[in-house]
Amino acid sequence: MSEEKIIICRCEDITLEEVREAIKNGFTTIEEIKRILRTGMGPCQGKSCGLLIAREISQITGTPIEEIELQNIRPPYGGILFKEILNNVGDKIEK
Amino acid sequence: MKNKASVVVIGGGVVGCSIAYNLAKKGITDVVLIEKSFLSSGATGRCGAGVRQQWGTKQNCLLARESIRIFENFKDILEINRDIELKQKGYLLLAYSENELKQFKKNIEIQHSLSIPSRLVTPQEAKEIVPGLNIDKLVGGAFCSTDGHANPFQVNIGYAEAAERLGVEINKFTEVKGIRVKNNSIIGVETNKGFIETSKVVDAAGGWSQQIAKWVGVELPIYSERHEILVTEPVKPMLDPMLMSFSFNIYCQQTPEGSFIMGYGPENEPPSYNMNSSWRFLETMAQKATFLLPSLKDIRIIRQWAGLYNMSPDKQPIVSKLNEVEGFYVACGFSGHGFMLAPAIGILMADIITESQLTYDVVLDIERFKRGEVIAEPSVV
Ligand SMILES: Cc1cc2nc3c(=O)[nH]c(=O)nc-3n(C[C@H](O)[C@H](O)[C@H](O)COP(=O)(O)OP(=O)(O)OC[C@H]3O[C@@H](n4cnc5c(N)ncnc54)[C@H](O)[C@@H]3O)c2cc1C
C-alpha cells in the first residue's frame, strides 16, 4: 500500500506520508508532530499511533527507538462524560 | 549554532518568533532565537486559541484589531504556505448583572472609536447566535463577528519558518543559562550549547521571563499563575462563537475540527510554575460549562492540561527596553492574551529595538508603572 493510504493515527486520519513529511521538515519529536498534525490528540490519546510514530522518527533520524520520548499522558485516563462528573459533584455552581 | 549575533531572542513561543520575524523583516537578519524545548512548548501551545478585539482599554483593542488583520492575511504577509485555521465566527460575551452590561457598553464605545464591529445583544439575540445557550439569569451580552479562533501551533511555526527564511537562526532544545553584562551593558548569552556574543537580548520567555530578568539584576513586576484547560472529543458543529463570561470567569469554544476547548480563571491560585492538572478543575469546569451549554453533558472530555499566565499589574503586556541594562528588552506580562496580540507585539518590539517611530500609538513600556500612567484592563478571564 502507498504511504498516503496508510493511516497512522486513526482518531485524526493522519497518514504515514504526512508523518514522514513532518519528520523530514524537522519535527523530530512525538510532542512536535502531535502539535503540527494532531496525531494522538483524539479519543485514544496516542495509545495506538505513539509507537508507530516513534519507529518512524527512529528510522528517519537514526535515533535509537529507546531514546525517543513518548507523548505526555494527560488526565482523565480514558474519556469521561461531563454528566458523569456532575453525578459526583452535582450541578450547582458557585457563581 | 552561531557564536555571535546582533540580537538574541530568548523563547520560541509565538511572541519570540513574531519578534524574530519582524526584526528580520526590518533588516536585522542576524538574529538567533533560543528555545529550551520545542517551539510552542510553553503557554502558546497550551492556550485557548481565542482571538478577540472586545477589550476594555484602547490599546488592547488596537493591538488586537491590528493582529487580527495580520491573521486574516497571514499567508500573504509572511509569504508562507501554512493554514492557521482562522475562524471568524465571533466572540459572545455574556453579562449576568447590570454592572457587567454597563462595562460592556463602555468597552463598546472604545471599540467603536477604532471601528471594531461589536454590538450589544439581548438574551434572545444571544440565543439566536448560540441556539444551545441557557439564557437563565442572563441580562445581555456583547458580540463581535470578526473575533474568533486561530491555531496557535500553526501561527507559532509560521512565524518561525518565515523568520528562518529571512536568515534568523532558530535553536530548539537549547537552554539559556545566563546573561553576561559588563558596565551595565549586555555582552552575551550563555546557553547549554555555548556562548553567543551579542549586545542585545530580548526576554520573551513567557512564564519564565521574570527569572531571566533576575540574571541581569532586574525584578519585573510580573508573576506566573497556573491556568487549566480541557478539550472534548470532536462532535458535530453546534457552537459558532467563542463564549465568554467574566462573572463565571469562563471561556468555551468549539474548534473548526469539532472539539470543545474550555477553561476558567482559577480563584486563589498562588503564583507558581506549576503546570499539573487537577481533579477539582474538571468538577468546577463541568458545572460551569453545562450550566451555559446543557447539551455538553453527553460529550466526552478527552484531555486536560495547564499552562502559565504571566500576569502584569494592569493586565496589559510589558513591551519595553530596560533602562537599568543597556541592550536588555522584555516582552512579557501578557496576562492570558498574548497569543492574539503577538502579531502586533512583534512589530512593536522591532520598532523599539531599531529605535524607529512606534507603529502603534500605545504605552507599554515598563516605566509606566513608575509614572503611574496605568489604566487596568477590566475584561479578562
Ligand atoms: C490555559 C491558557 C489559555 C490561554 N488562552 C488564550 C487565548 O484564548 N487567547 C490568547 O490570546 N492567549 C491565551 N493565553 C495566553 C497565551 O498563551 C500567552 O500569552 C502567549 O502564548 C505568550 O506567548 P509567549 O511566546 O510570550 O510565551 P510562551 O509560549 O510561554 O513561550 C516562552 C518560551 O520560552 C521558553 N523558555 C523559557 N525559559 C527559557 C530559557 N531559559 N531558555 C530558552 N528558552 C526558554 C519556554 O520553553 C517557552 O517555549 C492562554 C494561556 C493559557 C495558559
Side-chain angles (χ1 to χ4, degrees), chain B residues 75-92:
Chain B
K75 279 187 182 175
D76 291 342
I77 294 172
L78 274 73
E79 296 174 54
I80 50 160
N81 187 18
R82 192 167 277 288
D83 180 10
I84 61 164
E85 296 164 26
L86 180 66
K87 156 182 153 181
Q88 287 174 291
K89 297 264 178 82
Y91 253 63
L92 178 60

Side-chain angles (χ1 to χ4, degrees), chain B residues 87-244:
Chain B
K87 156 182 153 181
Q88 287 174 291
K89 297 264 178 82
Y91 253 63
L92 178 60
L93 311 181
L94 305 171
Y96 286 91
S97 69
E98 287 303 330
N99 265 347
E100 243 187 305
L101 203 58
K102 223 160 79 191
Q103 181 70 52
F104 287 2
K105 282 184 192 153
K106 252 201 221 157
N107 294 358
I108 286 177
E109 250 173 60
I110 297 173
Q111 291 151 16
H112 285 180
S113 76
L114 292 166
S115 309
I116 294 168
S118 51
R119 61 185 160 98
L120 280 184
V121 294
T122 63
Q124 279 64 38
E125 287 168 324
K127 182 109 185 147
E128 278 158 32
I129 298 168
V130 179
L133 182 68
N134 169 20
I135 55 171
D136 193 24
K137 299 198 179 91
L138 190 66
V139 179
F143 183 71
C144 174
S145 63
T146 53
D147 291 351
H149 159 106
N151 183 319
F153 309 124
Q154 303 295 352
V155 171
N156 197 154
I157 308 277
Y159 270 118
E161 284 172 346
E164 280 182 314
R165 197 192 58 234
L166 297 176
V168 172
E169 181 185 276
I170 294 184
N171 297 289
K172 302 186 282 185
F173 302 104
T174 308
E175 187 168 356
V176 175
K177 293 289 195 182
I179 294 173
R180 250 192 247 167
V181 177
K182 201 171 165 188
N183 302 330
N184 286 326
S185 298
I186 300 287
I187 57 167
V189 170
E190 306 277 5
T191 79
N192 60 350
K193 296 192 184 153
F195 180 73
I196 308 169
E197 186 186 327
T198 186
S199 60
K200 293 190 174 73
V201 168
V202 182
D203 177 359
W208 300 271
S209 305
Q210 58 273 26
Q211 296 181 340
I212 283 166
K214 267 194 193 139
W215 292 337
V216 298
V218 174
E219 285 285 338
L220 294 175
I222 51 174
Y223 64 90
S224 298
E225 177 181 278
R226 172 180 69 168
H227 278 240
E228 296 186 73
I229 177 165
L230 66 75
V231 65
T232 71
E233 62 188 336
V235 292
K236 64 177 191 323
M238 51 194 267
L239 174 65
D240 275 344
M242 170 81 100
L243 265 188
M244 197 158 201

